[in-house]
Amino acid sequence: CYIATIEPSIKTSKTTRPLHIKLINRGINGGGVLQLRDGAKEAGYPGNSPQNSFANLIASDKADIAVVYIGINDVWWRKTPPETFEKAMTDLAAAAKKTKPRLVIATLSVHGELPNGQNPDDKNIDQFAEITRKVAKETGTTLVDLRAAYIAYLQNQNAQLRVDGSLYYKPTGVLTYD
């Protein structure tokens, strides 16, 4: 979980330690944008807890900032239509405006780590990342473009020059494990 990864840095940094930042993970393992927006009686995997809708969660958490990083499952196996994804992302932004947390949305990143557009889902991931950028712009929401950052990193860090002069790219394991 990303929160477990970043929380130690936030708690030990000279800049952020005095702010007493509390992180709450509301991710739905295996969930997509509709499960986030509407809530889920169960998550994508057995044994996960039910979750309220995004609007109810941010209201009850009284969050100052809500970060939404969603989309890979929508592309990968939920097969969410792009127009449904866009509408749900717009609904999340509207819900945040009603309860006043500052919303930050992040583009989906990668499913496969070949940096040259040859992962099976790259075309759809690019489309959904562009939808996320559009929603952020149209709703005045802060955007973190993880897709662009991941691709830039992979283009610079995921290449090995072989003796025969060809390049080899690791398909996974550079930034993600799945």
Side-chain angles (χ1 to χ4, degrees), residues 35-40 51-60 92:
Q35 290 71 37
L36 176 62
R37 183 191 69 189
D38 302 335
Q51 182 161 297
N52 284 323
S53 69
F54 179 75
N56 288 339
L57 287 172
I58 59 175
S60 67
L92 295 174

Side-chain angles (χ1 to χ4, degrees), residues 23-56:
L23 302 177
I24 303 171
N25 182 7
R26 294 295 189 182
I28 301 172
N29 197 3
V33 72
L34 295 176
Q35 290 71 37
L36 176 62
R37 183 191 69 189
D38 302 335
K41 291 182 181 171
E42 54 190 52
Y45 299 101
N48 288 340
S49 302
Q51 182 161 297
N52 284 323
S53 69
F54 179 75
N56 288 339

